[in-house]
Amino acid sequence: MTDRKQVLESFEAQARYTDERVKSGIEQNRKGAANLTVTKNGQPAPGVKITVKQKTHEFKFGTNLFMLDELETAKKNETYKAAFADVFNMATLPFYWDATEPEKGHMRYAKDSEKLYRRPPIDLCMEFCEKHGIEPREHALAYEHFFPDWLRDASVFEVKVALENRFREIAERYAGKIPTIEVTNEMEWGDGVTAFYDEPDYVEWCFKTAEKYFPTNCLCINEWTGLPWGDHCRATDKYYAYIEANLLKGARIDAIGMQFHMFFPREKEYAETRPFYDPQNLYRHMDLYANFGKPLQITEVTIPAYSYDAADEEMQAEILKRLYSIWFSYKNVEQIVYWNLADGYAAFAPQGDMTAGENYYHGGLLRFDLSKKPAYFALRDLIQKEWHTETEAVTDTVGKADFRGFYGKYDVVIEHDGKTMQKELNLSAKGKRDFTFEL
């Protein structure tokens, strides 16, 4: 059996290169200076104590919400929701067409819709997101492998009519509530369901139609792991080439999705994942796709533990920390979405069967009993401790103070003459940096 330590050795071998790029990238790309001014009766107020504490991240850290209220007991459902809301500010929602319209004209958006495994109704997901301040992410408008059976024998024209109706319907319900719309997904995954899948205008048509109904949303393209990370890292690579071709045809592709599922058998892990765990290779591929001048979204991440052995779980956590640090440091990356929060509920496997389908990889951040793995704590510590700002300052003689912090929303406490005032500021990479508070 392959020694999993070889995976970490691939990181360690390039630590000198990687560590400096990660450190400088995070400092330059994820933090900014906030200039604070405190006045009283319109005049500068010196000697005022200001305490700032970060409460949210502008950067999006997510996971899929496919098991919302789908677990075996009420207790497990509440544990799942609490673990989700404690760490994540983004949720991928299951807009699979065969789940939202399993029978022609029969829709499953309402929260009281009949249950389907790993497909909670969208309105239920939206309610959870709104309650916890989590940004929902749509997945996906045109994902051919999950088109409904009732379209299998339809003509290309009939598929386009039905698909446009789907776009319109989703836009009417959610365009103003879901910023990121994933338009196409995994075009390089084998055969499709409908005749439209093989048409040369598939991607172009989907994006141009999506632009019609989602004019102000971010339109994302998405592809499986092997293309964005495992190809030759050239402009002739399949994914790069078909993005470029569709941009040239006028498709409005706003963001580039890059999956990162390490679905490799344990005995082949090091040999087959070596390029994916090579930091310089990761940066090279991000550099390549950054040429489009678009945001990059790490859309689906699975890091295997392979078992509940303590050493295996610690390895999963350490790999996750290294990868997240690399992605978080990169300027163009704006989202990282881990895939399954909990073990035992992954695709292509019976619930709880850890030998089958994607369950085999033990790739969740929680075990099947929903106890937290080291990987969960590692990610939480990165987001809430290492990539987190809390500081104090005192205004100078002209009522000014400043701090440098991670982009996000902050609680501000201002203390003066025995009185306390609470405010909020939003430090954004694209927003204002100067904030004035009147006592």
Side-chain angles (χ1 to χ4, degrees):
M1 184 176 292
T2 301
D3 186 350
R4 296 199 73 200
K5 291 182 179 179
Q6 290 177 290
V7 174
L8 283 186
E9 288 173 358
S10 66
F11 285 102
E12 295 293 347
Q14 300 179 56
R16 183 178 301 177
Y17 165 86
T18 306
D19 291 353
E20 181 55 37
R21 185 162 183 181
V22 166
K23 182 180 178 181
S24 62
I26 291 175
E27 188 65 29
Q28 294 172 20
N29 302 322
R30 303 300 165 212
K31 299 173 73 175
N35 305 306
L36 313 179
T37 301
V38 180
T39 60
K40 186 174 183 179
N41 300 321
Q43 298 300 312
V48 177
K49 181 182 176 182
I50 303 172
T51 302
V52 296
K53 182 178 181 179
Q54 186 177 4
K55 60 180 182 177
T56 68
H57 266 281
E58 182 172 81
F59 191 95
K60 299 305 176 187
F61 298 98
T63 186
N64 77 53
L65 195 53
F66 295 177
M67 292 307 297
L68 179 65
D69 284 341
E70 293 285 319
L71 303 176
E72 307 93 292
T73 67
K75 182 178 180 181
K76 287 188 85 169
N77 282 326
E78 292 308 309
T79 300
Y80 176 91
K81 287 185 276 191
F84 197 116
D86 187 38
V87 174
F88 300 101
N89 62 4
M90 172 167 274
T92 293
L93 275 52
F95 276 84
Y96 300 91
W97 197 357
D98 62 355
T100 59
E101 192 179 5
E103 299 174 11
K104 189 174 183 179
H106 172 60
M107 305 301 179
R108 280 190 69 257
Y109 295 109
K111 61 180 291 186
D112 60 352
S113 298
E114 69 275 19
K115 285 188 173 294
L116 288 178
Y117 184 52
R118 299 184 79 246
R119 303 291 186 263
I122 300 302
D123 285 355
L124 180 68
C125 296
M126 294 295 292
E127 182 179 84
F128 174 82
C129 290
E130 183 175 355
K131 178 180 179 180
H132 295 284
I134 293 169
E135 182 177 308
R137 184 182 193 282
E138 187 274 339
H139 169 77
L141 286 183
Y143 190 2
E144 177 78 23
H145 294 276
F146 292 93
F147 277 16
D149 285 341
W150 52 266
L151 274 176
R152 285 186 179 273
D153 297 324
S155 67
V156 172
F157 174 78
E158 290 170 327
V159 174
K160 285 184 175 181
V161 169
L163 194 53
E164 183 163 3
N165 285 338
R166 168 175 161 81
F167 284 24
R168 181 189 302 109
E169 180 178 78
I170 292 174
E172 288 172 352
R173 296 181 70 107
Y174 305 111
K177 302 176 182 178
I178 303 180
T180 300
I181 303 297
E182 189 178 290
V183 180
T184 61
N185 183 42
E186 295 181 352
M187 289 298 299
E188 286 294 319
W189 179 21
D191 297 329
V193 172
T194 71
F196 182 32
Y197 192 59
D198 294 325
E199 292 297 300
D201 68 336
Y202 187 103
V203 174
E204 176 192 359
W205 184 93
C206 286
F207 273 90
K208 288 182 176 178
T209 306
E211 182 179 7
K212 176 180 176 182
Y213 294 104
F214 301 90
T216 62
N217 299 77
C218 172
L219 303 183
C220 179
I221 196 167
N222 196 32
E223 197 51 84
W224 74 283
T225 305
L227 295 192
W229 305 106
D231 220 330
H232 300 290
C233 200
R234 302 172 187 147
T236 52
D237 288 355
K238 280 185 179 181
Y239 193 29
Y240 190 96
Y242 91 66
I243 291 173
E244 184 176 52
N246 282 283
L247 287 171
L248 290 172
K249 290 192 286 186
R252 203 197 85 201
I253 299 173
D254 298 321
I256 298 169
M258 308 169 76
Q259 297 181 22
F260 198 88
H261 292 298
M262 293 294 97
F263 291 147
F264 299 94
R266 181 175 188 140
E267 62 273 13
K268 297 181 179 179
E269 182 189 22
Y270 181 64
E272 297 195 13
T273 63
R274 188 173 182 178
F276 302 101
Y277 290 147
D278 178 336
Q280 291 197 52
N281 190 54
L282 294 177
Y283 276 119
R284 282 195 299 269
H285 280 84
M286 289 188 289
D287 288 344
L288 173 66
Y289 286 92
N291 286 327
F292 288 117
K294 311 287 184 181
L296 307 180
Q297 300 177 358
I298 315 302
T299 52
E300 304 177 24
V301 179
T302 302
I303 306 303
Y306 293 111
S307 78
Y308 291 141
D309 179 80
D312 281 338
E313 290 190 343
E314 290 292 345
M315 179 69 71
Q316 179 195 31
E318 186 61 32
I319 293 171
L320 182 145
K321 286 168 58 178
R322 306 284 184 116
L323 290 169
Y324 267 67
S325 296
I326 289 170
W327 292 325
F328 186 63
S329 74
Y330 197 81
K331 182 178 181 179
N332 291 61
V333 174
E334 64 177 6
Q335 302 175 9
I336 307 173
V337 180
Y338 203 82
W339 200 231
N340 294 307
L341 178 58
D343 281 339
Y345 305 100
F348 314 120
Q351 179 176 302
D353 183 353
M354 298 305 297
T355 68
E358 294 175 7
N359 283 345
Y360 159 82
Y361 300 97
H362 291 69
L365 304 176
L366 311 177
R367 304 178 187 93
F368 182 61
D369 65 1
L370 300 194
S371 57
K372 297 178 175 70
K373 295 185 185 181
Y376 180 90
F377 292 113
L379 185 53
R380 188 178 69 178
D381 286 350
L382 284 176
I383 296 169
Q384 297 181 2
K385 294 180 180 180
E386 187 171 338
W387 301 334
H388 178 82
T389 301
E390 293 184 30
T391 190
E392 296 179 352
V394 177
T395 58
D396 61 17
T397 56
V398 292
K400 295 186 180 297
D402 60 66
F403 75 93
R404 184 172 176 82
F406 288 96
Y407 296 123
K409 291 183 179 179
Y410 286 78
D411 283 325
V412 181
V413 177
I414 301 171
E415 301 175 63
H416 184 64
D417 288 343
K419 297 180 180 180
T420 298
M421 179 173 66
Q422 295 187 341
K423 296 289 185 178
E424 180 184 271
L425 68 80
N426 182 21
L427 180 60
S428 173
K430 299 178 180 179
K432 69 176 186 178
R433 302 296 179 87
D434 299 315
F435 303 89
T436 299
F437 304 103
E438 172 71 16
L439 291 174

